Amino acid sequence: MQLDQLPLRKKAWIQDIDWAQMSEDEGKRLEALGIEEGAQVEALHRGVLFWQDPIAVKVGRMTIAIRKAHASAISVSENDESQPQ
Amino acid sequence: MSDAQANTSSLVALVGNPNAGKSALFNALTGARQKIANYPGVTVERKSGYLQLEDGTQVELVDLPGAYSLDAASPDEEVTRNVIIGAQDGERKPDAIIIVLDAANLDNHLRFALEVIDQGRPVIVALNMMDLATRDGLTLDPSALEKQLGVAVIPTVAVRKRGLDDLRTGLENLLATAGNEAKAVEKSTDPKANRKRAQDIAKKAIISETAGRQWTRSLDGILLHPVLGFVILLALFFVIFQAVFSWSEAPIGWIEMAFEWLGNKVSAVVPEGFFQSLLVDGMIAGVGAVIVFLPQILILFFFILLLESTGYMTRAAFLMDRLMASVGLSGRSFIPLLSSTACAIPGIMATRSISDPKDRLTTILIAPLMTCSARWPVYTLVVGAFIPAKTLSGGVGLQGLILFALFLFGMVAAMLVALILRSTITKGVNSGFLMEMPKYQMPRLRDVVLGLWQRASIFLKRAGTIIMVSTVILWVLLTYPKVPIDSDMSQVDYSIAGRIAGGLEPIVRPIGFDRDIALALIPAMAAREVAVAALATVYAIEDEDEDKQTESLRESLQGRWSLPTALAFLIWFVFAPQCISTIAVTRRETNSWRWPIFMVSYLFGLAYIFSGITFWGATALGF
């Protein structure tokens, strides 16, 4: 599942990030905000009206705003067992 | 503070992630005596102040832009990195560094802290926002953190001024023992290893963790609601907008009255002639033209700073992001553009909160297209004179409808221009919309007032001087050469401006304007609404009573202008950069003449083309 499809209030873990879908600076910013393989995420809020874009995602102790376009580059899984160590 | 003193005192840099409470700590440490400038060649702000240590020595404290990493992803971060490693143009290498950490966000903020500590510079850590961490149910052990990091860690609550004395003492010890040589430190350049280290250290520093109250989450449930949140946002800005207009009305009146009174007083004392005119019509009017912007700027920034310090601003950006994204901008452009509907000057100044340089530039360039309050007097005059006061079906007034259409036209034009700029001149990958959404906090009045004072002084010092100079130049253009007493020409006709208008006439004739209109447009460069007074001057309407003047001006326009000309004139004001102050602020905020020149050219170009289309279209339709 991609992060943009994750239902609200469901905890999930990041499996894989397709860095090719974003620029280098965007990638750096994502990493800096704690988006990395193995990190726990939870979608908290969706954007306005019918667009539902961007999404507010809880990463660790922080809440970040991320556009769907970027969230779709992030694969997540709802069980932690597959988390790479 | 003299330069000599500044150079002998130690330099301490304040660094940290965005939202770590860095600015609040900076304000608490330095007080109101702060200096704001730009780093050479970039539009990154350099904020500095002085901090008194226990032993009486003063150190210069510089507040570096918030950064997530030394591996810079923005111009702001680049400056921060360069200052830390001592490679920034216009900055000494700091003697010590204070790292500000958000206590409630340790694992994330420790990464940047570790990167900085690994540089081997003398470092002290301020473990800030301890109160919010407690509110979140976190119990931290600063001494464990100290042991792990190998540098002094001082718990602080900047907004309550807690821990500041300890921080000063710590800094004093650090400066006393610090040699200028970098310590040999084992540097881990691998970001992954760095993150792992950060998490391990955070784990050891956190004693216990309970669920805590989730204020922010519940509030966001309402304020970020896809429908309700949007409605609240619009309602909130409607109120702010009303306040900017209605609260500023009286102070603007007082300022105008005060400068008129001053002008009269000076006129009474100084003998008539060159000096009196220079003083009263040039200088005093020029200073007045600057000060008159202050009420709107102050009211608007009061709300902006208030919302910023509560954390709501990022929510507003979140809610508006999708709409702004459709023209290649991000949610952060919303507030500056909305502000521009009051006046482009505070709007352009508010673009400082846009981190992406291309987003910011695009927003600055389209800001003058948003219909500012100075256009309304011109619109109402011309619409009142040429559009019949009919009521259409549904009780909608035709005049009001046209006014609204003009407002909307400016906004649509701004969006289209943004779209075009974003795929040409400011082309590039949109930095997207990735940002931290800080926790809600009570606003800190002290920081709001300080921010307000800083914005006002930047405006007065930087933009104010250019605005004043250009007002004086306009005065010269309109006053010289003096019309001979036996001539039946008016002073305006005889002046340089009058002659320029004569030269402009063949250029503006194709879009339905004549020499008189061209002449009125010149003084309107001082401020758009001056066009009304200028038209009155051109058509030699001299009536002391303002209402009567407008009335006779309306009649005079009806007699002289055709409907196509009137419509073309309205469209001209939608686009034309008829405001030197906006150009001055753009110069200041983009740090070069290149962008204001570009802005002026494209706006005049559009004004000319669309006025022409309107004129010929209306003529062809037989209006």
Side-chain angles (χ1 to χ4, degrees), chain B residues 2 68 171 250 339 353 388 402 508 549 576:
Chain B
S2 74
Y68 291 102
L171 192 61
S339 310
S353 59
I402 298 284
V508 295
Q549 183 186 322

Side-chain angles (χ1 to χ4, degrees), chain A residues 53-66:
Chain A
D53 189 20
I55 325 171
V57 179
K58 191 168 188 229
V59 187
R61 265 177 260 281
M62 204 151 80
T63 307
I64 65 164
I66 183 171

Side-chain angles (χ1 to χ4, degrees), chain B residues 251-328:
Chain B
I252 288 176
W254 301 333
I255 291 166
E256 282 169 350
M257 255 161 56
F259 277 91
E260 205 184 306
W261 175 85
L262 188 66
N264 290 339
K265 282 280 163 208
V266 172
S267 299
V269 178
V270 181
E272 211 169 303
F274 171 78
F275 275 110
Q276 191 205 63
S277 185
L278 174 68
L279 275 174
V280 176
D281 303 322
M283 309 282 274
I284 294 177
V287 176
V290 175
I291 308 279
V292 88
F293 285 112
L294 265 185
Q296 284 195 343
I297 290 183
L298 290 179
I299 296 168
L300 189 75
F301 272 97
F302 171 74
F303 284 110
I304 288 184
L305 291 165
L306 197 69
L307 291 182
E308 235 162 37
S309 70
T310 57
Y312 183 75
M313 232 32 164
T314 53
R315 271 75 185 181
F318 179 89
L319 290 168
M320 291 307 294
D321 181 62
R322 186 57 191 78
L323 279 168
M324 303 304 296
S326 53
V327 294

Side-chain angles (χ1 to χ4, degrees), chain B residues 293 343 345 372 524-528 576-584 599:
Chain B
F293 285 112
C343 174
I345 292 162
C372 67
M525 293 296 290
R528 289 180 175 92
Q578 284 287 12
C579 174
I580 290 177
S581 313
T582 305
I583 302 166
M599 186 173 92

Side-chain angles (χ1 to χ4, degrees), chain B residues 329-347:
Chain B
L329 295 172
S330 87
R332 292 176 198 259
S333 298
F334 168 67
I335 283 115
L337 289 179
L338 187 91
S339 310
S340 300
T341 55
C343 174
I345 292 162

Side-chain angles (χ1 to χ4, degrees), chain A residues 31 36 42 61 63 65, chain B residues 111 195 209 217 435 437:
Chain A
E31 281 193 313
E36 58 191 319
E42 182 186 352
R61 265 177 260 281
T63 307
Chain B
R111 299 171 184 182
R195 281 203 292 274
E209 193 176 359
R217 206 167 158 158
M435 60 177 196
M437 305 186 74

Side-chain angles (χ1 to χ4, degrees), chain A residues 9 25-26 28-33 36 42 44-45 48-49 51 53-54 56 61-65 67, chain B residues 68 71-73 77 104-105 108 111 195 206 209 217 220 226 319 321-322 329 430 433-435 437:
Chain A
R9 312 281 148 119
D25 281 353
E26 288 170 311
K28 277 186 199 169
R29 184 53 39 86
L30 266 187
E31 281 193 313
L33 290 171
E36 58 191 319
E42 182 186 352
L44 292 182
H45 311 279
V48 285
L49 309 182
W51 287 296
D53 189 20
R61 265 177 260 281
M62 204 151 80
T63 307
I64 65 164
R67 280 188 182 161
Chain B
Y68 291 102
D71 185 12
E77 287 187 334
N105 216 339
N108 209 293
R111 299 171 184 182
R195 281 203 292 274
I206 296 171
E209 193 176 359
R217 206 167 158 158
D220 272 344
L319 290 168
D321 181 62
R322 186 57 191 78
L329 295 172
N430 193 307
F433 186 64
L434 275 169
M435 60 177 196
M437 305 186 74

